[in-house]
Amino acid sequence: KHHHLLWLAHQTPLERSMLILIGVDESQLPGQSNFGGKIQHAALVICFQKLYVSFMFRQYEPMKASAENYFIYEDSTNTWSLLYVHTAQAFISGLAAYWMFRKSKDPKWTHKASKSKLMMKKWAEVNEWNFQNKLYLMEAEEAFCYDDTASAKSLYEKAISSARE
């Protein structure tokens, strides 16, 4: 029973996100459950999926609200069992944090983004093929946040080149 609930806690929010991304009206989808608090990662996964969908649709306010909740759960949840999705979460939440810093100039977002970038840097050292382009993109976003357009442009180009390799 526990394994089934664990699978549902991870897959149901993902399925919901995919349906929204392909155009299904969110109001037609069933509500989300955190499984009565029985699975501590369910809230983290739900918050990340909401952040992801809002980020993809460039909806700043819903993304910001979801990010606030996501980072609270991320800081207080042992995420060791989410390793298979943790790289995507670090990448998207880091990009979202850079965007929120550009709009708000609130330094808490650079702290969150830097934490995500540090994780990406560690992964890029181990597996350059998968993570170097993402690291370059995060570094470009950071440079863009500080109006360093020359560095940002160079890093965006490196990200594109690295992704093609």
Side-chain angles (χ1 to χ4, degrees):
K1 182 179 176 182
H2 176 72
H3 293 295
H4 181 70
L5 285 177
L6 186 60
W7 183 85
L8 283 174
H10 291 253
Q11 295 305 312
T12 305
L14 178 63
E15 178 184 25
R16 181 181 181 88
S17 294
M18 295 302 110
L19 290 170
I20 293 167
L21 288 170
I22 63 171
V24 174
D25 185 353
E26 190 171 359
S27 66
Q28 296 176 350
L29 297 174
Q32 293 190 359
S33 171
N34 71 357
F35 301 91
K38 294 178 183 171
I39 301 176
Q40 65 182 19
H41 295 118
L44 179 72
V45 173
I46 289 168
C47 289
F48 174 75
Q49 289 301 323
K50 288 179 178 180
L51 181 154
Y52 176 73
V53 168
S54 300
F55 180 81
M56 295 306 288
F57 285 128
R58 306 297 289 173
Q59 299 168 331
Y60 179 78
E61 291 301 327
M63 181 196 67
K64 183 179 177 191
S66 297
E68 294 272 1
N69 291 326
Y70 170 77
F71 284 118
I72 289 169
Y73 285 113
E74 184 195 47
D75 288 343
S76 64
T77 303
N78 179 359
T79 58
W80 63 267
S81 67
L82 294 178
L83 288 177
Y84 72 99
V85 296
H86 200 82
T87 58
Q89 289 178 349
F91 179 59
I92 297 297
S93 65
L95 292 177
Y98 282 127
W99 181 21
M100 287 181 282
F101 174 73
R102 283 195 307 272
K103 289 203 56 121
S104 70
K105 298 301 183 200
D106 184 341
K108 77 176 177 184
W109 296 117
T110 58
H111 172 72
K112 299 294 185 187
S114 293
K115 183 178 171 187
S116 293
K117 187 182 80 170
L118 180 61
M119 286 189 278
M120 193 61 60
K121 184 175 184 174
K122 289 178 183 178
W123 293 323
E125 290 169 0
V126 174
N127 188 336
E128 186 176 312
W129 184 81
N130 274 334
F131 302 110
Q132 188 66 53
N133 62 321
K134 294 168 184 66
L135 176 61
Y136 284 144
L137 183 57
M138 293 177 88
E139 290 173 340
E141 287 292 304
E142 181 179 38
F144 187 63
C145 283
Y146 294 108
D147 297 320
D148 185 356
T149 55
S151 293
K153 180 181 179 191
S154 173
L155 288 161
Y156 285 129
E157 289 169 356
K158 282 183 174 182
I160 293 166
S161 176
S162 178
R164 286 182 178 154
E165 292 176 1

